[in-house]
Amino acid sequence: MADDLRTRMEDKEKTDTVMRTMVVFSLAMITLPIFLYFISKSFFFEAFLGMSSENSYFYAAFVAIGTVHIILGLFVYRAFTEDSEARRTPYKED
């Protein structure tokens, strides 16, 4: 009975961790590319580099696409390493 309860608690903790990771990366996928698109277009490409508005759209899109790829890569890395982190963490036995 105690082993069953411990297993259920460990499963709930693992599910909570997975959901938290999914929410964080989902919010990053929604907000960061859009934010970086407009910031890089306005402040970097147009103001700092002096590009025209037509050219800055093109390069700002590359920044947004690169951001999406970085976030996806980090999510895949996190998904593969999450299980090994859980196995390395010892728990206290009484």
Side-chain angles (χ1 to χ4, degrees):
M1 172 114 169
D3 290 333
D4 187 41
L5 181 60
R6 181 178 294 152
T7 304
R8 278 192 265 159
M9 289 180 67
E10 288 172 357
D11 288 344
K12 180 165 176 23
E13 289 174 5
K14 188 174 181 180
T15 303
D16 289 346
T17 303
V18 170
M19 286 302 294
R20 190 176 316 116
T21 302
M22 187 65 152
V23 167
V24 167
F25 279 96
S26 295
L27 288 174
M29 282 288 290
I30 292 169
T31 58
L32 279 178
I34 295 170
F35 177 74
L36 287 177
Y37 172 82
F38 287 110
I39 293 297
S40 67
K41 181 187 176 309
S42 298
F43 294 113
F44 184 71
F45 293 116
E46 289 178 3
F48 184 69
L49 295 179
M51 289 185 173
S52 68
S53 180
E54 294 166 353
N55 289 337
S56 65
Y57 284 123
F58 183 72
Y59 293 110
F62 277 125
V63 170
I65 291 168
T67 304
V68 168
H69 283 88
I70 290 170
I71 293 169
L72 285 174
L74 289 173
F75 177 72
V76 169
Y77 174 76
R78 175 73 178 174
F80 278 116
T81 59
E82 194 169 66
D83 190 40
S84 63
E85 289 174 7
R87 278 187 270 164
R88 273 189 273 142
T89 308
Y91 60 91
K92 180 182 174 187
E93 285 190 36
D94 293 329

